[in-house]
Amino acid sequence: MRLFPFFPKPWSLLVLLSSILVGFNAQADKSELDGISGAEPVVVQIVEHEGIFRLTVDGLPFFVKGAGADRNLDQLPAAGANTIRTWGSDQTELSLDMAHTLGLKVIAGLWIEHERHGFDYNDADAVQQQIEAHKAAVLKFKDHPALLMWMVGNEVEHQSTQDGVWDTVEAVAAFIKEVDGKHPVGTVTTHPDAAVIETIVERCPSLDIMGCNSYAGLPAVQSTIEASLWKGPYLVTEWGPDGSWEVGHTTWGAEIEPTSSEKAEHHLLRYKHILEARDRCLGSCVFFWGQKQETTSTWYGIFTKEGRHTEVFDVMSYVWGSRFPAERAPRIAKLRLDGFVPESSLKVESGSALEASFLLSRGEYESVSVVWELYQESSDKRTGGDAEQEPELVPVVFDSPNRPDVVHFVAPKDPGAYRLYLAVRGAGDSVATANFPFKVAVP
């Protein structure tokens, strides 16, 4: 069963280079980047008083308003964010430099290999090579002025049978404590589990912070950690909409994705739980400030492939910076197909005439443009956020009967599972998204 999403290591460098070429609109020139080498590292501390924890940067309070990000980085400060989270050291150097030019800090991830990807923690040579590689990265980046903290590993317990992975986490964390007295160090798990935390407390005494990734379960994070053996502070290192493993399915197993407007509601409600836990919670990183194919092409991304931002961007601007953007994204109700909602497990006949419709609850029909697309249902759904292949686009003629909220098309001739996608483009670069899984059967 899929738990909580993260980036696979081979994914990261290509994504990061792409972010520079495509999404980093406020790119620094070479002279600015050269100036980074002369800047002093900041001193980051965890201050505790009567069970209340605070993070400080050069003595000033710092609450993490962060995002797991791979592009559109220049829009983070304007939205009120102050932090970027990375997953591996191959992302870190460029992320640190870009963050510094934008006035952001970086939670630098050190990718600890996963057993489910074929790594054997009984192989002493491979384990030591991994540790030495991370030591070199720590020495390289520890004095960068944008560095906020280290996170050693991400969800390494997922599908793991070898507790020795925690010995590697501890070896790297202990080295950081030895050579870097300016930045705290933590590790990241899935939604907190008492047994996993007990193992971490026992085997990783060098950790300062517990990181956890939680989605629909976010309201229970605080109580779960308080009931555990971990007595220090924590970060919510990933959070967002209902995960694709937490939603309803059609009768053939296709996940029912919330609309972008429903996701915005999720984010607004869940951020309150982060703020309410500030006695021990040092902040959070929303997932995902970019776009990726994971179950669908729109599930976790706050942006689309074209760089348009959804209503979740509006909400994050509000909870981070106390204001909504001047131009709000469209708001939509559920997409319907022949009058049915996505939860209906709709099956249609091959070649039959279909009508799709949606309701716009914020914005004017005359001021939006509507894009419809039909894809085969993904056949490459993986676990733990591993890279997936995007399904094939199905050539379809969409006919709008002089109404932007309704479209007609003919069901594919080939039987199988499909997903209809809707994008409602609004003012500026805003967009609302929804999709509808359905199945085509031979009459």
Side-chain angles (χ1 to χ4, degrees):
M1 176 181 176
R2 181 195 185 291
L3 296 177
F4 297 87
F6 62 88
F7 287 122
K9 184 178 180 182
W11 204 82
S12 55
L13 183 58
L14 178 60
V15 166
L16 193 54
L17 291 173
S18 173
S19 74
I20 297 173
L21 296 173
V22 179
F24 186 44
N25 300 323
Q27 218 173 164
D29 61 28
K30 186 177 185 301
S31 62
E32 289 176 306
L33 296 180
D34 287 344
I36 293 173
S37 61
E40 291 292 322
V42 295
V43 178
V44 183
Q45 295 178 307
I46 297 171
V47 180
E48 186 266 338
H49 178 67
E50 296 183 350
I52 297 176
F53 294 86
R54 293 289 185 265
L55 194 69
T56 65
V57 176
D58 284 341
L60 299 177
F62 189 96
F63 189 71
V64 175
K65 301 177 182 179
D70 79 333
R71 65 194 74 176
N72 308 107
L73 302 184
D74 59 310
Q75 298 191 49
L76 281 166
N82 57 20
T83 306
I84 301 168
R85 181 195 173 199
T86 67
W87 281 256
S89 57
D90 50 356
Q91 299 171 316
T92 300
E93 183 167 17
L94 293 173
S95 293
L96 286 167
D97 289 349
M98 290 190 291
H100 186 68
T101 64
L102 293 168
L104 301 169
K105 298 303 178 189
V106 175
I107 298 174
L110 295 170
W111 184 263
I112 301 298
E113 296 292 349
H114 287 224
E115 181 186 348
R116 66 189 180 85
H117 293 149
F119 194 87
D120 182 6
Y121 280 91
N122 293 316
D123 185 337
D125 289 340
V127 169
Q128 192 58 38
Q129 288 174 12
Q130 179 178 203
I131 292 172
E132 294 303 321
H134 288 317
K135 287 182 177 180
V138 170
L139 292 174
K140 182 176 182 180
F141 303 128
K142 68 183 182 67
D143 293 323
H144 197 289
L147 179 63
L148 181 69
M149 67 179 70
W150 303 95
M151 281 293 169
V152 184
N154 183 80
E155 301 183 355
V156 296
E157 80 281 10
H158 180 34
Q159 296 185 2
S160 175
T161 60
Q162 299 173 324
D163 277 350
V165 66
W166 297 116
D167 298 333
T168 296
V169 171
E170 170 59 18
V172 177
F175 179 78
I176 292 172
K177 302 294 285 186
E178 177 185 342
V179 302
D180 181 5
K182 298 181 175 70
H183 306 96
V185 58
T187 192
V188 176
T189 72
T190 60
H191 182 83
D193 175 84
V196 172
I197 292 176
E198 182 177 355
T199 300
I200 294 172
V201 170
E202 176 185 347
R203 303 184 78 143
C204 304
S206 298
L207 297 178
D208 303 306
I209 299 172
M210 185 71 65
C212 63
N213 300 338
S214 190
Y215 291 76
L218 180 58
V221 165
Q222 181 182 15
S223 59
T224 303
I225 289 181
E226 287 181 348
S228 76
L229 293 179
W230 179 257
K231 302 308 177 186
Y234 70 93
L235 275 170
V236 180
T237 40
E238 284 182 25
W239 67 281
D242 289 352
S244 51
W245 66 99
E246 296 172 314
V247 298
H249 295 69
T250 64
T251 55
W252 57 90
E255 298 84 353
I256 309 298
E257 180 177 347
T259 67
S260 58
S261 296
E262 290 171 326
K263 294 173 190 176
E265 293 173 0
H266 295 164
H267 284 73
L268 186 60
L269 292 173
R270 286 170 191 167
Y271 197 71
K272 294 178 181 178
H273 294 282
I274 294 168
L275 295 179
E276 290 170 355
R278 289 186 69 158
D279 284 356
R280 290 183 69 184
C281 180
L282 304 180
S284 67
C285 295
V286 69
F287 189 87
F288 170 57
W289 198 267
Q291 183 273 339
K292 65 176 297 202
Q293 170 69 34
E294 189 170 345
T295 305
T296 73
S297 62
T298 55
W299 203 297
Y300 299 98
I302 296 173
F303 295 80
T304 63
K305 287 183 289 186
E306 298 78 20
R308 293 180 175 272
H309 61 81
T310 68
E311 191 177 346
V312 175
F313 174 92
D314 298 356
V315 167
M316 296 313 302
S317 298
Y318 175 72
V319 299
W320 282 337
S322 301
R323 66 183 185 279
F324 286 107
E327 296 180 329
R328 301 284 298 276
R331 170 170 278 269
I332 56 176
K334 279 191 183 298
L335 176 60
R336 292 180 179 268
L337 188 56
D338 275 3
F340 293 91
V341 294
E343 292 83 355
S344 302
S345 295
L346 179 64
K347 298 179 181 179
V348 302
E349 291 186 356
S350 171
S352 60
L354 301 174
E355 179 181 271
S357 62
F358 70 94
L359 178 65
L360 187 66
S361 56
R362 182 174 61 229
E364 301 295 330
Y365 288 104
E366 296 78 12
S367 62
V368 300
S369 60
V370 181
V371 178
W372 299 92
E373 290 182 314
L374 184 65
Y375 284 84
Q376 295 180 359
E377 181 66 21
S378 174
S379 59
D380 187 33
K381 297 175 184 177
R382 304 192 179 222
T383 185
D386 289 353
E388 299 177 2
Q389 292 292 322
E390 191 169 307
E392 291 188 15
L393 178 69
V394 180
V396 171
V397 175
F398 292 101
D399 177 34
S400 181
N402 297 319
R403 288 180 55 187
D405 59 328
V406 175
V407 73
H408 297 149
F409 66 102
V410 176
K413 293 183 179 180
D414 294 334
Y418 295 84
R419 196 175 286 258
L420 177 66
Y421 284 80
L422 165 68
V424 181
R425 298 173 177 173
D429 291 325
S430 67
V431 67
T433 61
N435 61 62
F436 193 120
F438 67 99
K439 200 165 189 178
V440 173
V442 176

